[in-house]
């Protein structure tokens, strides 16, 4: 597999670039749409690319929603899409844990999208709640952006980490406190 540096798409190279490309990956928020809907020309462009036989994938670092949610949203805007065309951080976490043949309980600090993807992958998890964690109740701590994190959740994570659980943080953005 070869790779090349990104290149500017111009009228003179678009045909050769498309002829040599089978798969295209597009970010969602701020690239194809904003809070007001799809950007002008975005749907038509992706429909043409899909019509040319190109495989289109959509990616997002937003773990608050599942692939099912995003595939419905993308289709509702008119873009060609199935759930298999969506790559989100919550799905990547579930895939990683499957590849590692992880068997254990996961303590989730994150929103519904992460929980949905872990459930779809067959994982057992517990989520942050008002009850304190005592002892070894989880083998893995998965944290993603969650605006509702409270002090009790942080204390539960510390207890789990002290009892040999693994911790993997993802979806850190510039909006994430450091």
């Amino acid at each position: 597999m070869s790779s090349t540096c990104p290149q500017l798409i111009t009228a003179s190279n678009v045909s050769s670039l498309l002829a040599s490309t089978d798969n295209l990956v597009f970010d969602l928020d701020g690239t194809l749409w904003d809070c007001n809907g799809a950007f002008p020309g975005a749907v038509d462009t992706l429909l043409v690319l899909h019509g040319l036989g190109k495989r289109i994938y959509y990616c997002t670092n937003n773990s608050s929603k599942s692939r099912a949610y995003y595939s419905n949203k993308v289709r509702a805007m008119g873009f060609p899409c199935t759930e298999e065309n969506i790559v989100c951080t919550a799905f990547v976490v579930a895939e990683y844990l499957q590849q590692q043949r992880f068997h254990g309980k996961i303590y989730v600090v994150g929103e519904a999208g992460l929980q949905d993807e872990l459930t779809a992958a067959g994982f057992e998890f517990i989520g942050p709640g008002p009850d304190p964690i005592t002892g070894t109740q989880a083998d893995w701590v998965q944290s993603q952006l969650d605006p509702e994190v409270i002090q009790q959740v942080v204390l539960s994570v510390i207890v789990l980490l002290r009892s040999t659980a693994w911790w993997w943080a993802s979806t850190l953005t510039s909006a994430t406190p450091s």
Side-chain angles (χ1 to χ4, degrees), residues 157-169:
V157 168
I158 291 168
V159 168
L160 288 169
L161 292 175
R162 291 184 65 176
S163 68
T164 70
W166 288 88
W167 185 8
W168 189 6

Side-chain angles (χ1 to χ4, degrees), residues 82-94:
T82 66
E83 191 171 316
E84 289 73 31
N85 299 104
I86 302 290
V87 180
C88 62
T89 54
F91 172 71
V92 171
V93 166

Side-chain angles (χ1 to χ4, degrees), residues 2 30 39 44 51 55 63 68 70 142-143 173:
S2 67
F39 291 132
D44 293 337
R55 287 184 297 272
S63 64
Y70 274 112
Q142 177 60 46
S143 62
T173 68

Side-chain angles (χ1 to χ4, degrees), residues 46-142:
L46 269 62
L47 287 171
V48 167
L49 293 169
H50 186 258
L52 292 172
K54 305 302 177 186
R55 287 184 297 272
I56 299 171
Y57 296 93
Y58 304 91
C59 66
T60 179
N61 66 345
N62 185 341
S63 64
S64 68
K65 307 285 189 271
S66 66
R67 291 183 316 141
Y69 170 86
Y70 274 112
S71 63
N72 289 331
K73 181 175 181 173
V74 169
R75 277 194 309 274
M77 288 189 187
F79 293 101
C81 184
T82 66
E83 191 171 316
E84 289 73 31
N85 299 104
I86 302 290
V87 180
C88 62
T89 54
F91 172 71
V92 171
V93 166
E95 284 287 302
Y96 175 79
L97 290 171
Q98 284 181 324
Q99 289 173 1
Q100 298 303 309
R101 293 178 170 74
F102 177 78
H103 298 287
K105 191 176 283 185
I106 303 164
Y107 182 81
V108 173
V109 180
E111 297 187 65
L114 176 58
Q115 296 171 11
D116 292 345
E117 294 294 345
L118 290 172
T119 298
F123 289 106
E124 184 180 354
F125 62 88
I126 55 176
D131 300 326
I133 295 289
T134 58
T136 306
Q137 295 179 357
D139 307 296
W140 185 277
V141 176
Q142 177 60 46

Side-chain angles (χ1 to χ4, degrees), residues 142-160:
Q142 177 60 46
S143 62
Q144 295 188 327
L145 185 61
D146 186 347
E148 303 298 319
V149 171
I150 56 173
Q151 183 177 5
Q152 185 59 54
V153 172
V154 174
L155 292 174
S156 294
V157 168
I158 291 168
V159 168
L160 288 169

